[in-house]
Amino acid sequence: MPQEIDLTACEREPIHIPGSIQPHGVLFAMSRADKMITHASANAVSVFGIDPVSILGKTFREALPEVAAQLDGDVAEQTPLGTARYVRAIVLKTSMGETAFDAVLSRSGSHVIIELEAVPEDTVSSLDVLYPALRRFVEELHGASTIGRLCQVAAEDVRRMTGFDRVLIYRFDEHWNGTVIAEDRNEALPSYLDLRFPASDIPAQARELYRRNRLRIIPDANYTPVPIQSHDPAPLDLSDSVLRSVSPVHLEYMRNMGTPASMSISILRDGALWGLISCHNSEPKRVSLPARNACDFLTQIFSLQLEARENTTLAENRVRLGAIQARLLAYMAGESLFVDGLVNHPADLMLLAGAQGVAIVTDEHCWCLGETPGEDEVKALYAWLSEHHQEDIFATDRLGELLPEAKAYADKASGLLSISISKMRSSYILWFRPEMVQTVKWGGNPEKPVQEEAGTSRLHPRRSFEIWKETVRGRSLRWDQSEIEAVKELRNAIVGIVLRRAEELAALAEELRRSNKELEAFSYSVSHDLRAPFRHIVGYSELLKKQEWSSLSERGKRYIDTIIESAYTAGTLVDNLLRFSQMGRTALKPRSVKVSELVEEIRGKLTEHAGGRRIEWFIGDLPTIVADPVLIRLVFENLLDNAVKYSRTRDTSRIEVGSYRDNGDIVFFVRDNGVGFDMKYVDKLFGVFQRLHRIEDFEGTGIGLANVRRIVERHGGRSWAEGQPDKGATFSIALPESEGAA
């Protein structure tokens, strides 16, 4: 019976510690602490005539004097962490005579790795030769207006600099499948343009090495690995090595592909692996280290330009979608309910996300616009989101895989993008994209890694790279990042602006309604209360004009007194009106207020100004509250002053001030035994200029209780009154019981 194969074995292969190198160079490693040689590749004997075992434990200068002499300075201190660093070309005596080597240094834990890579014959790799190619590449980049053209320029210039038969630009998707998006080649190798390769072709640990070590070359896939000699049983980490031997599975993959030589250069975006520049040759091929470094430099320039182009495209999309969003905000602002602004303009709402249908769903309503599933299906989808996806934004291009019931309406909603616009009352806006049946061209069947060999199963890389087509169903076009950001901003606008603005508008509408009533009362006051005082001023002023001041009679003096009295009345009224109008605009400055002390202070002043009147005060327990001390003083001044004023017809005024708690509120009341009022007029009490008694009987402007109500409401409380004619009245205010109140 064939042995079961573990298909994840490649993902766990320790490719960073192969224990061997490729044969086109020699490797030595030494301890950074004492500079003793700890590792040497076995081919040191054939290249330099040095027994690798014999130099283990010797110092670098003692073991390799010729190398040490040409590498100036302290090698251990020169070597940085991270990618291997090309030092220089040096010439050494070998079994073949004097030979040029490119010296490369890298770190591996507590070791310094010294790699000597033989310079390929007949290669010209000086900067003078490479500079024109790099300059041409930079100039061509400026003319590349699209990402596609940018990738094509990179493929052409890398092939021009290296001479490979085929150069591919290979981009990873979110699942690490790779697609060839640009290619430059001759006729020695077939085209792979637009082919997709599965993630299993480049396992996770290989991708990590590509990210860490940007350039890798394999000159000959049929090479025989050169073992590394060492007394240390721990394997040497060759992650940053340029000579590191590669997995036998990868070498077999290259041979199956018909490319005995390859080179790859990593394309990084923000430190993450975006893709690869992959170079292939139909015959074994060496590329000098300086030329490879030039390609690495070229790729880094390409990565920066790629990022700039992608950011430009993203910015253009953001501007376009921002204009749509601005229109939607204007629509919402023009409606009393923001939903109406969206429902009445479905075209822009769908255009914002590039969708063919959209639904706005709450626990009470469902609006379906454009091409959407049925209302019952949308409500079921809404219930699923409410239970399983309560995040602010949710996006998928394969809804049927997450929710099997959605396969029934894949033609309407294979793609779903949703935003949650309310947490308290589960509400969503859902955008839909239909299924887009795609034919994906794979570079060979990605699903057959296991082959039968002599009755046993063995894990092999794919042997065929013929185009293998797959029809993909149940998926929509992917949601672009700019579209996701656009709906996120719409959500922020709805949650952070529109809903809050709706609440403000509702409060403003209520305030406007009340202000209109007050304005009507004010207009009446101008034509009534203010008219008489100013008529007196005008009349008596005209009389004064007819007489000389020096000869004023007693009557004339009374005229003057009347003028003063009327002017004082008018001034008091205007002052109270100003105070009332400012009450709604004054910012609250809440602090702890000891009501008992406040009431006692007001009581003392009122008693002092009452003359010889008999007033009996009954002050109960008055707790401390948190309120604006200036405004709350005005409340109690008005209530206590009214109690004193409207009870002055009694032989003895009885005024009681007390409090009690009621459902989280502290209720304060002021009760008197004065003239009282008829309850059918209770609604007039707290209105501006709404008087229940003649001004001739009781002075005042009719604004005091209006101020009381406005102040109490601004503190989140309420006010009311109870009374009977000639039996006194009780005025009450309820304020929320705040932390710190006692």
Side-chain angles (χ1 to χ4, degrees), residues 11 35 81 143 151 156 163 190 222 261 266 305 358 378 395 455 485 491 516 542 584 592 725:
E11 298 180 8
K35 300 179 178 58
L81 289 170
C151 293
E156 292 170 359
N222 294 302
S266 303
Q305 288 293 319
V358 65
V378 170
E485 290 179 2
R491 178 190 181 275
N516 285 336
E542 289 177 349
S592 179

Side-chain angles (χ1 to χ4, degrees), residues 411-450:
D411 59 328
K412 301 284 179 61
S414 286
L416 171 66
L417 176 60
S418 73
I419 57 174
S420 169
I421 57 176
S422 176
K423 297 295 186 184
M424 294 181 62
R425 299 178 62 187
S426 188
S427 304
Y428 290 87
I429 299 179
L430 315 176
W431 286 269
F432 302 107
R433 279 181 176 170
E435 175 187 47
M436 179 165 285
V437 179
Q438 303 175 60
T439 299
V440 177
K441 296 188 296 182
W442 293 90
N445 187 342
E447 299 178 355
K448 296 183 178 180
V450 180

Side-chain angles (χ1 to χ4, degrees), residues 9 12 25-27 66 75 92 116 156 190 201 276 281-282 284 299 333 356 409 437 542 549 603 606 613 641:
R12 298 193 304 274
V26 182
L27 178 145
E66 193 176 4
V75 172
L92 301 173
L116 304 174
E156 292 170 359
D201 280 11
L276 298 172
N281 214 62
S282 57
T299 303
Q356 281 70 52
Y409 47 83
V437 179
E542 289 177 349
W549 179 257
R603 184 193 69 80
L606 290 174
R613 284 181 54 193
D641 183 62

Side-chain angles (χ1 to χ4, degrees), residues 119-152:
V119 176
E121 296 180 2
D122 302 324
T123 61
V124 181
S125 57
S126 69
L127 182 61
D128 292 339
V129 175
L130 296 173
Y131 175 73
L134 288 172
R135 180 177 179 179
R136 181 174 56 247
F137 172 71
V138 172
E139 291 173 349
E140 288 176 336
L141 285 183
H142 291 299
S145 58
T146 66
I147 292 176
R149 178 56 191 160
L150 191 69
C151 293
Q152 187 61 38

Side-chain angles (χ1 to χ4, degrees), residues 4-10 12 459:
E4 185 176 349
I5 298 296
D6 181 1
L7 300 183
T8 66
C10 282
R12 298 193 304 274
L459 188 64

Side-chain angles (χ1 to χ4, degrees), residues 52-101:
V53 176
S54 68
I55 64 173
L56 298 178
K58 294 183 178 180
T59 66
F60 174 53
R61 291 187 177 277
E62 181 184 2
L64 303 167
E66 193 176 4
V67 177
Q70 296 189 58
L71 295 181
D72 294 337
D74 189 341
V75 172
E77 296 304 322
Q78 288 180 15
T79 309
L81 289 170
T83 305
R85 184 172 69 89
Y86 169 66
V87 180
R88 67 179 64 186
I90 62 176
V91 178
L92 301 173
K93 294 178 182 179
T94 69
S95 58
M96 303 295 293
E98 289 192 342
T99 304
F101 291 88

Side-chain angles (χ1 to χ4, degrees), residues 613-733:
R613 284 181 54 193
R614 294 182 59 188
I615 304 175
E616 293 182 354
W617 294 89
F618 300 91
I619 309 298
D621 180 33
L622 302 176
T624 297
I625 60 172
V626 176
D628 186 301
V630 175
L631 296 181
I632 213 67
R633 170 183 286 274
L634 187 58
V635 168
F636 282 99
E637 282 179 348
N638 274 289
L639 294 180
L640 294 175
D641 183 62
N642 281 350
V644 171
K645 179 169 59 177
Y646 289 105
S647 65
R648 71 186 179 197
T649 59
R650 302 297 188 247
D651 293 335
T652 300
S653 297
R654 295 175 57 86
I655 301 173
E656 180 184 358
V657 184
S659 70
Y660 58 90
R661 283 176 166 79
D662 180 35
N663 293 325
D665 290 338
I666 298 178
V667 179
F668 296 93
F669 64 86
V670 177
R671 183 174 295 124
D672 65 67
N673 63 339
V675 296
F677 61 88
D678 192 330
M679 284 297 290
K680 67 182 179 181
Y681 301 118
V682 69
D683 293 335
K684 296 177 64 178
L685 276 176
F686 294 93
V688 182
F689 308 119
Q690 299 296 319
R691 303 177 57 85
L692 301 187
H693 305 280
R694 295 189 308 164
I695 194 170
E696 292 84 355
D697 297 332
F698 297 97
E699 72 281 359
T701 59
I703 299 178
L705 289 177
N707 273 336
V708 168
R709 171 156 286 181
R710 175 166 283 195
I711 292 170
V712 170
E713 288 182 350
R714 291 204 61 201
H715 283 78
R718 64 190 193 281
S719 58
W720 67 97
E722 298 168 320
Q724 293 183 39
D726 205 38
K727 291 186 179 180
T730 301
F731 288 83
S732 303
I733 62 169

